[in-house]
Amino acid sequence: MAEYIGQPGQGAALEDKQKIERPRRYKVMLLNDDYTTMEFVVEVLQGIFRRSEEEAMAIMLNVHKNGMGVAGVYVKSIAETKVVQVHKLAQSMEYPLRCTMERE
Ligand code: TYC
């Protein structure tokens, strides 16, 4: 419950007795495969993860070399939406691109 302290009219301060926790964040990961084109992965990173062309290229190459990598970090509902968007777009193009999320 929030309560006001201080004198009325003197710029009352708001004190919140509930502990406010920072929402948990989730890493959305892209996984490498042998079939999805590099161009498509860059498009996904630009279109869904709002990365610049340079960032998208660097992330894609990191995933290509190391097997997986972080596309972005979000609160849970946004991360879940991104995973669904990636899979829908990849399926529509018949690419096997996989995307997962894990708690930061
Ligand atoms: N390894 C793919 C290729 O050589 C490119 C690729 C990169 C695929 C990242 C998926 O998450 C991925 N065409």
Side-chain angles (χ1 to χ4, degrees):
M1 255 316 256
E3 72 179 18
Y4 286 94
I5 56 175
Q7 296 301 310
Q10 291 187 351
L14 182 63
E15 185 181 273
D16 194 340
K17 288 183 174 168
Q18 282 179 337
K19 200 174 168 196
I20 297 173
E21 289 184 13
R22 191 167 172 264
R24 289 191 196 290
R25 289 173 166 265
Y26 291 78
K27 292 184 284 190
V28 178
M29 322 282 297
L30 286 178
L31 279 68
N32 190 35
D33 67 73
D34 293 337
Y35 304 101
T36 306
T37 63
M38 292 183 170
E39 291 75 14
F40 179 75
V41 177
V42 169
E43 277 174 34
V44 164
L45 286 160
Q46 289 185 268
I48 296 176
F49 295 95
R50 314 311 300 167
R51 297 293 187 168
S52 69
E53 194 176 347
E54 292 74 22
E55 287 175 324
M57 186 65 76
I59 294 169
M60 181 280 293
L61 286 173
N62 174 49
V63 175
H64 176 71
K65 278 191 204 145
N66 299 312
M68 63 165 29
V70 179
V73 180
Y74 307 94
V75 296
K76 192 174 191 187
S77 60
I78 306 279
E80 286 168 346
T81 301
K82 302 274 181 200
V83 170
V84 169
Q85 287 176 330
V86 171
H87 285 149
K88 276 194 177 160
L89 192 58
Q91 278 165 20
S92 76
M93 300 295 289
E94 301 192 339
Y95 287 129
L97 179 62
R98 283 172 301 152
C99 180
T100 60
M101 57 190 266
E102 63 180 56
R103 225 168 81 188
E104 201 178 35

